Amino acid sequence: MNAQVKILEEQVRDHFGRHPDAEIYLSQPAIVAILGARVLGEFGDDPCRYVTAKARKNYGGTSSITRASGKKKVVAARFIHNDRLIDALMSWAFASLNASAGARAFYDEQRQRTRPQ
């Protein structure tokens, strides 16, 4: 089984490298061929699929839901999302902490904001 996994990894690397958007994905911090192929596979490669960046965030489950009336405003987490995409994005985010000083600084800043004083 391990030998078959190695063969499959090589095939994914080879075929992902041929994709027109592979260079864009691989230019991101901590994205390697296997993770890039996962993210690309879950988002899809149709350039017209997402009209706006907000639509892409909604599909990824990373944007919040805001409900507002005249009296109150409620911001909630988005619970309906693509689990495989979220898993790939979380892997990418945590791998970025070691690969990018900017990602590490942003993460540390956000952690400081959420810690009780």
Side-chain angles (χ1 to χ4, degrees):
M1 183 172 239
N2 287 336
Q4 291 175 338
V5 168
K6 292 272 187 203
I7 291 169
L8 183 60
E9 283 181 2
E10 289 173 18
Q11 290 174 345
V12 169
R13 279 189 190 95
D14 182 44
H15 289 280
F16 177 67
R18 296 180 198 166
H19 193 278
D21 295 337
E23 188 176 335
I24 295 168
Y25 280 87
L26 294 173
S27 71
Q28 302 299 312
I31 286 272
V32 292
I34 302 300
L35 186 54
R38 282 182 64 195
V39 173
L40 176 64
E42 292 302 332
F43 270 129
D45 64 353
D46 180 7
C48 301
R49 182 173 184 182
Y50 306 101
V51 179
T52 63
K54 177 75 171 169
R56 193 172 181 104
K57 283 182 70 171
N58 291 347
Y59 181 74
T62 58
S63 63
S64 58
I65 298 172
T66 304
R67 293 188 182 108
S69 68
K71 294 184 179 183
K72 67 179 182 176
K73 178 180 177 180
V74 176
V75 179
R78 190 174 294 272
F79 291 105
I80 299 173
H81 55 262
N82 179 333
D83 290 334
R84 292 176 307 276
L85 176 59
I86 292 295
D87 182 59
L89 294 176
M90 292 296 283
S91 297
W92 176 19
F94 282 105
S96 295
L97 295 179
N98 294 329
S100 168
R104 170 50 78 180
F106 180 76
Y107 177 79
D108 292 340
E109 179 183 319
Q110 296 304 309
R111 290 289 305 221
Q112 282 295 89
R113 288 182 52 201
T114 59
R115 285 198 177 127
Q117 298 295 326

